[in-house]
Amino acid sequence: MSKKAFLRNLSIAGITLSGVIALSSKPAFADTTFECIKAGSGYATIAVTSEGAKTEPLITWNSQAMAGSGFTPQRRCNEVTGRLNTVVANVGGSFSDVLLTTGSVNGMGVVCWVNDEQSGCDGSNVLVTISRGNDPGKFLANLVNRRANPFEAGVAGSETTARTVVRFGQFVEQELAAARNRPSNKRPSGGRGI
């Protein structure tokens, strides 16, 4: 084989290999789902990889504050977990930039997901509605298990109101990395919750 033919074949092989790698590469969250599990005396939202690695509780649901209106900890856990799975689908597996923030929708305090700090809450991105009389910022600060301290307080939400922003996607990625390194027979603990 001539040198020219050899280099051409080598180039074709390199391009083919690059294409195969690109097609088989998936975002870290492409096969990650969220699940609601029983944890201690309440429930918890965890992330689960396609390999079966499970995070420690990301969000814990223990409060009975809204149980009177039918929103038990189990129901809230199931609903928010389902919404997080929708978020993963909406962002196409690129979850690292997902932020949780606070706002108001229909006169109620809410926690919602956004892709940047300038975006706000609307009816399409609400994760959870806060019971009347509770501060959404304090609620969000207590909502997520804070081992990794993913919080930034006071990001401007408007000219008069500061809001709480959580770098939730980065937090979940860190927790997934820890889950992959944890022995597979260890179950997530109950954590602290609301």
Side-chain angles (χ1 to χ4, degrees):
M1 176 182 310
S2 73
K3 184 176 178 181
K4 187 176 180 180
F6 174 75
L7 290 174
R8 186 183 68 230
N9 289 343
L10 187 60
S11 295
I12 291 170
I15 291 169
T16 303
L17 181 59
S18 297
V20 168
I21 291 171
L23 289 173
S24 64
S25 297
K26 295 181 183 177
F29 276 87
D31 294 323
T32 297
T33 59
F34 291 91
E35 292 181 5
C36 177
I37 63 166
K38 181 81 171 130
S41 61
Y43 294 85
T45 300
I46 62 170
V48 181
T49 68
S50 59
E51 300 87 30
K54 296 180 179 185
T55 64
E56 292 289 325
L58 302 170
I59 304 172
T60 54
W61 304 96
N62 299 323
S63 174
Q64 295 289 332
M66 295 185 75
S69 56
F71 292 97
T72 63
Q74 183 178 14
R75 180 174 176 192
R76 292 184 95 190
C77 180
N78 284 327
E79 288 190 15
V80 171
T81 299
R83 292 174 187 165
L84 285 171
N85 283 320
T86 300
V87 172
V88 170
N90 287 342
V91 298
S94 177
F95 200 76
S96 64
D97 294 330
V98 171
L99 308 172
L100 297 186
T101 191
T102 56
S104 178
V105 173
N106 298 325
M108 296 290 292
V110 296
V111 171
C112 63
W113 71 273
V114 294
N115 288 323
D116 60 65
E117 294 175 3
Q118 289 72 43
S119 297
C121 300
D122 59 42
S124 69
N125 64 350
V126 171
L127 285 178
V128 64
T129 302
I130 313 306
S131 57
R132 290 201 188 277
N134 286 318
D135 179 304
K138 288 181 182 176
F139 180 88
L140 180 56
N142 290 319
L143 180 68
V144 178
N145 212 341
R146 292 189 276 177
R147 286 184 313 279
N149 193 23
F151 298 93
E152 287 185 14
V155 174
S158 69
E159 293 175 6
T160 59
T161 306
R163 58 188 176 141
T164 302
V165 175
V166 175
R167 298 196 173 286
F168 191 68
Q170 291 176 2
F171 172 64
V172 174
E173 284 184 346
Q174 291 170 359
E175 293 296 307
L176 284 170
R180 287 183 180 104
N181 294 326
R182 195 172 55 240
S184 61
N185 59 353
K186 183 179 176 190
R187 294 251 337 140
S189 63
R192 103 177 214 303
I194 58 166

